[in-house]
Amino acid sequence: MILSVIILAAGQGTRMNSDIPKVFHEVGNYPMIYHVLDISQKLKAKSTTVVISNQLKNYKTFLLSKYQHIKFCYQHNQLGTAHAVLEAFKNYEIKETDTTLVLYGDTPSVTFKTLNAALRDFDKKNLDLSVISMIVKDLNNSYGRLLIKKGKLNKIIEKTEQTNEEKKIQLCNSGIMIIKTKHLFKKIKKIKNKNKKKEFYLTDLVEIFIKENYKVSNFNCKLGESMGVNDKEDLAKLEKQFQEDMRKKFLKKGVTLIDPSSVYFSKDTKIGKDVVIYPNVYFGPGVKVGDKVTIKSFCDIELTKIGNGSVIGPFARLRGDTVIDNNAKIGNFVEVKKSKINHDVKISHLSYIGDSVIEKNTNIGAGTITCNFDGFNKNKTYIGENCFIGSNTSLIAPIKIKKNSVIGAGTVVDKNVQEGSVVYRKSKLIKKDKT
Ligand code: UD1
Ligand code: CA
């Protein structure tokens, strides 16, 4: 099979009520269009065409930097899904393929496994058109309905055209279609816009193919995989489903989630073995957790690598390219930003560590703050190994504290400190007796 993939992403997305193009809204902190493009990459298609609107022009270079395998076609006026597919044919590569898979940029949960099975089914049965369908029990939805006559798919009826009886049909269209390329190219021009929305519906192709005696069928998949996003409510539903799938995945992998429903992941979250995650933890993008790590409640973590055996939280915030090495301890109310924390470092309570490097075995006392911002620039802090930083210390960056040094509690340090120093500010304690 020589495959081409067409991804429709030109829709206005007006129902999202947002300035951000619909397909750039995120599920699992990852744009919907990326979810779809990742799958298309796995399918190893001969050509992948993304149909975009003028509104998406500015996102083009952005998409190309991540996905070099795609070609773009413009749909200047959004006249419907069939019109969008016709625009895709401006990429001549499609005509050199025998099978075309149409995916929607707003249907990001479909899996490689399902698409692969549907493509194999299409091939085996020598079909001309296959619709990926799903059963939707909640009838209050805007999906197209599949009309089955004598056990065979006969027609797809769009929301605007459905009678009250047709609205009761549970077999719905996911939007994903597999079609023999040569038939698609010939027959798509037959689609008319004689419907209430005056749009050219790709789904009308089913009826046209049936009339031409082509082999048409449908391939069922799980609803969780085929939900489309039209508004923010749909997006929230999809996010919920995504989070449930991620929790199941990690539980299966042996991660302990004490209260799974209160832990949130990103698409790229990676977690090692024998990790324990307490309730209410949020993983933003770019988090990699090693083995035997414990993450206590109420942590917010993004763009951070956590080494084996470390203990994080409760109430820790880790962000901005941070690396926590093995067996480190980041305790309660500690924020770490863009820093490298080496192994066996302890930052147990109430600290801000930003733009810093802390070498191994150093202990950071409660209330230590790296004063990294002088109002203009972000400055760096370096703390060598085996240091002891007393409680309530302010380190005015840029600053270097060399190894084996001790800083007394409550010190404002604004000069570099040599190896093995003891540093404190002498200020007299005034004590007056009550008269
Ligand atoms: C579509 C299907 C419907 C199906 C549902 C599944 C049609 C006519 N209807 O309806 O049967 O149940 O998806 O989610 O296909 N797009 C373009 N250009 C356009 C119009 C749309 O590129 O002119 C793109 C959109 O960006 C989107 C996709 O096509 O990614 C689907 O369009 P949308 O308007 O959301 O269709 P639905 O009403 O959801
Ligand atoms: Ca849709």
Side-chain angles (χ1 to χ4, degrees), residues 72-140:
F72 290 96
C73 284
Y74 283 103
Q75 187 193 24
H76 298 291
N77 298 308
Q78 280 66 58
L79 304 179
T81 43
H83 178 255
V85 169
L86 200 59
E87 293 291 307
F89 273 97
K90 283 182 186 152
N91 174 12
Y92 292 112
E93 279 175 12
I94 299 175
K95 288 181 204 152
E96 291 161 18
T97 67
D98 52 46
T99 308
T100 297
L101 168 68
V102 178
L103 298 175
Y104 286 179
D106 70 356
T107 308
S109 303
V110 66
T111 60
F112 170 75
K113 206 173 147 200
T114 295
L115 289 180
N116 209 26
L119 284 164
R120 267 191 279 128
D121 182 73
F122 180 84
D123 212 24
K124 213 174 92 196
K125 295 181 179 156
N126 196 22
L127 297 174
D128 295 307
L129 188 155
S130 175
V131 175
I132 312 292
S133 52
M134 72 262 193
I135 305 280
V136 189
K137 296 230 163 91
D138 177 4
L139 295 174
N140 185 21

Side-chain angles (χ1 to χ4, degrees), residues 195-372:
N195 50 59
K196 289 193 185 120
K197 276 173 105 184
K198 305 253 172 306
E199 277 190 16
F200 295 88
Y201 291 152
L202 182 64
T203 42
D204 285 353
L205 206 59
V206 170
E207 209 182 357
I208 295 169
F209 268 42
I210 297 278
K211 280 186 184 149
E212 302 273 347
N213 286 324
Y214 287 148
K215 264 183 108 178
V216 174
S217 189
N218 63 306
F219 184 91
N220 257 331
C221 77
K222 281 187 272 172
L223 174 61
E225 277 195 37
S226 46
M227 277 195 283
V229 172
N230 291 329
D231 55 27
K232 289 286 170 76
E233 200 180 332
D234 292 339
L235 189 68
K237 271 189 203 157
L238 213 72
E239 182 70 40
K240 192 165 182 241
Q241 178 69 47
F242 172 84
Q243 293 300 338
E244 275 164 19
D245 291 347
M246 289 298 271
R247 288 166 195 144
K248 273 188 201 142
K249 177 183 122 179
F250 284 124
L251 287 167
K252 219 175 190 173
K253 274 189 71 187
V255 175
T256 301
L257 304 176
I258 294 175
D259 176 17
S261 66
S262 71
V263 180
Y264 290 80
F265 300 98
S266 290
K267 181 156 194 292
D268 61 355
T269 307
K270 294 200 171 58
I271 301 182
K273 265 193 198 160
D274 292 317
V275 170
V276 180
I277 300 170
Y278 284 50
N280 296 302
V281 171
Y282 182 84
F283 292 97
V287 178
K288 196 172 172 209
V289 178
D291 298 336
K292 297 186 169 58
V293 170
T294 300
I295 302 177
K296 297 188 177 173
S297 293
F298 301 104
C299 289
D300 183 311
I301 307 171
E302 62 177 39
L303 295 170
T304 294
K305 259 191 192 166
I306 301 171
N308 301 340
S310 290
V311 179
I312 312 292
F315 296 97
R317 181 165 187 221
L318 311 179
R319 62 188 179 102
D321 288 327
T322 281
V323 177
I324 313 281
D325 209 340
N326 298 347
N327 302 315
K329 185 178 178 219
I330 309 292
N332 32 248
F333 305 105
V334 172
E335 178 177 355
V336 183
K337 188 220 67 173
K338 214 176 184 179
S339 295
K340 168 90 203 279
I341 311 297
N342 276 289
H343 67 84
D344 297 283
V345 165
K346 289 188 175 62
I347 314 170
S348 297
H349 340 258
L350 300 154
S351 283
Y352 171 64
I353 304 296
D355 305 296
S356 303
V357 173
I358 304 181
E359 301 289 8
K360 63 181 180 182
N361 297 321
T362 280
N363 186 85
I364 306 287
T368 297
I369 306 291
T370 55
C371 308
N372 62 330

Side-chain angles (χ1 to χ4, degrees), residues 35 156 173 219 257 284 380 412:
H35 286 261
I156 298 179
N173 175 26
F219 184 91
L257 304 176
K380 293 198 162 85
V412 177

Side-chain angles (χ1 to χ4, degrees), residues 132-194:
I132 312 292
S133 52
M134 72 262 193
I135 305 280
V136 189
K137 296 230 163 91
D138 177 4
L139 295 174
N140 185 21
N141 68 66
S142 57
Y143 295 120
R145 305 296 205 258
L146 268 67
L147 203 72
I148 305 286
K149 267 194 185 163
K150 293 184 189 153
K152 280 188 173 169
L153 174 58
N154 188 264
K155 193 180 175 181
I156 298 179
I157 313 137
E158 284 309 310
K159 166 93 177 172
T160 50
E161 315 303 306
Q162 289 161 8
T163 62
N164 284 341
E165 270 314 294
E166 286 161 349
K167 281 192 179 109
K168 290 181 193 155
I169 299 173
Q170 293 186 348
L171 190 61
C172 291
N173 175 26
S174 74
I176 301 167
M177 243 189 226
I178 307 167
I179 317 133
K180 284 243 168 85
T181 308
K182 59 175 184 216
H183 299 330
L184 170 66
F185 186 59
K186 261 194 214 153
K187 303 299 169 194
I188 198 166
K189 293 165 195 158
K190 283 199 157 190
I191 294 176
K192 304 264 180 330
N193 65 347
K194 277 190 196 148

